[in-house]
Amino acid sequence: VLREGLLHTPYSLTESRIIFELANRETVTPSELMNELELDAGYLSRIVTRLESKGLLEKTRSEVDRRQRLLRLTSEGREAFEMLDKRSSHEIAAMLDRLPEKDQQSLLKAMKTIEDVFTDKAAESYVIRPPEPGDMGWVTHRHGVLYANEYGWDERFEALVAQIVADFVNNYNPKRERCWIAEMDGEIAGSVFVAQQSDKVAKLRLLFVEPKARGLGLGTRLVEECIRFSRRSGYEKLILWTNSVLVAARNTYEKLGFELVEEEEHHSFGHDLVGEIWELTL
């Protein structure tokens, strides 16, 4: 962090953070960056000017408010982000690879404690981790139980979830696919998957949040993980299938930029439903 160039790149820590923020948003205004990163206006202006002169970002007029200037990464800027992102992942992996699994888990718990001390624990008291033995069975079981209780769906939905999980495990491509498990106070609270649909298209599957974990932003966080991973993996589009009765999930997808592209009535799991296909251009 204290090196002149972060991760052996030409970019400072603040420049790298701004590149990261722009890479994970369609557009952002300088004032939004200034407020969220708590930067001095003059300092931010100098950095933005420097990044613009290097061809990493560009300014455009907002179509909604012509007084506003929007910032977005250029293709060169996205290449810079990908370099920073890969080097960051490799550096952290190199540090953790030296530790046995037990020590890695201890480190994770210690970092969680530090995070809780400096944040509002009630606002985000969960951690996101890779799947462990038994988690796939939990995903199937909890989908079956919760959707039966909340929507009256029969065992055919649980069978569908079991098939999706089995296909994911049996055909898993670690470079192009991922599963995340959310935990609260040592108990599983949610999950989501990204599966490869084609070379250019990824599919978000089995987004699930336990009732006790709702309202904390966990569903949004899980979907954001899917979006970031899909972009880093080189996909051009992220798609998903859901049903119109799943209002909370639909609101999350819409908030994060997904668009409803197809609807179809169907009778499944003992009910008349309206299936929906949503997609996000990456």
Side-chain angles (χ1 to χ4, degrees), residues 19 59 82 94-95 178 186 200 218 228 230 232 258:
I19 291 171
K59 300 174 184 175
E82 291 173 356
M95 293 170 60
R178 196 62 53 90
K200 297 182 179 180
L218 177 55
R228 280 193 287 267
S230 299
R232 288 199 303 266
F258 284 82

Side-chain angles (χ1 to χ4, degrees), residues 4 21 33 90 96 112 130 143-144 146 149 151 178 205 233 237 266:
E4 184 174 347
E21 291 295 333
L33 273 181
H90 291 161
L96 295 179
K112 174 68 166 56
H143 270 80
L146 186 134
N149 291 340
Y151 302 100
R178 196 62 53 90
R205 314 208 74 173
S233 299
K237 187 180 295 184
H266 64 104

Side-chain angles (χ1 to χ4, degrees), residues 22 68 86 133 150-151 164 170 190-191 207 232-233 241 250 281:
L22 293 177
Q68 287 275 17
K86 288 179 180 178
E150 296 192 351
Y151 302 100
I164 293 171
N170 291 329
S191 63
L207 174 65
R232 288 199 303 266
S233 299
W241 178 80
R250 295 175 76 259
T281 300

Side-chain angles (χ1 to χ4, degrees), residues 6 20 26-27 43 84 96 106 129-130 140 147 204 208 238 251 260 274:
L6 183 68
F20 174 85
E26 286 297 320
T27 56
Y43 180 49
L84 284 161
L96 295 179
S106 296
R129 62 166 175 80
T140 303
Y147 281 82
L204 186 155
F208 180 90
L238 180 61
N251 289 341
L260 176 62
V274 178

Side-chain angles (χ1 to χ4, degrees), residues 78-248:
R78 190 155 293 279
E79 290 177 2
F81 164 73
E82 291 173 356
M83 176 179 64
L84 284 161
D85 194 47
K86 288 179 180 178
R87 290 189 181 182
S88 177
S89 297
H90 291 161
E91 185 172 280
I92 293 171
M95 293 170 60
L96 295 179
D97 283 346
R98 300 196 298 265
L99 301 177
E101 177 67 23
K102 182 179 178 180
D103 288 347
Q104 290 187 28
Q105 292 300 321
S106 296
L107 176 63
L108 183 64
K109 291 178 182 178
M111 293 174 69
K112 174 68 166 56
T113 300
I114 295 170
E115 184 180 27
D116 289 344
V117 169
F118 285 99
T119 60
D120 181 0
K121 189 173 181 180
E124 183 175 321
S125 56
Y126 52 79
V127 294
I128 309 295
R129 62 166 175 80
E132 298 174 353
D135 286 346
M136 297 302 173
W138 177 92
V139 169
T140 303
H141 167 71
R142 290 303 297 159
H143 270 80
V145 171
L146 186 134
Y147 281 82
N149 291 340
E150 296 192 351
Y151 302 100
W153 292 4
D154 62 25
E155 66 277 3
R156 284 170 288 188
F157 176 67
E158 187 173 350
L160 173 63
V161 175
Q163 185 62 59
I164 293 171
V165 170
D167 289 343
F168 180 85
V169 172
N170 291 329
N171 303 299
Y172 180 55
N173 179 354
K175 293 183 178 180
R176 305 280 278 167
E177 299 179 312
R178 196 62 53 90
C179 168
W180 293 269
I181 301 294
E183 277 191 0
M184 286 182 61
D185 301 322
E187 295 183 358
I188 299 177
S191 63
V192 74
F193 293 69
V194 169
Q196 182 174 359
Q197 180 86 352
S198 68
D199 288 343
K200 297 182 179 180
V201 180
K203 191 168 188 178
L204 186 155
R205 314 208 74 173
L206 301 180
L207 174 65
F208 180 90
V209 178
E210 288 281 4
K212 68 178 181 181
R214 293 172 185 169
L216 302 178
L218 177 55
T220 298
R221 170 76 183 279
L222 288 170
V223 176
E224 287 174 338
E225 292 289 346
C226 295
I227 294 172
R228 280 193 287 267
F229 173 78
S230 299
R231 283 176 174 154
R232 288 199 303 266
S233 299
Y235 289 111
E236 297 179 3
K237 187 180 295 184
L238 180 61
I239 67 171
L240 63 91
W241 178 80
T242 188
N243 285 278
S244 60
V245 295
L246 306 181
V247 177

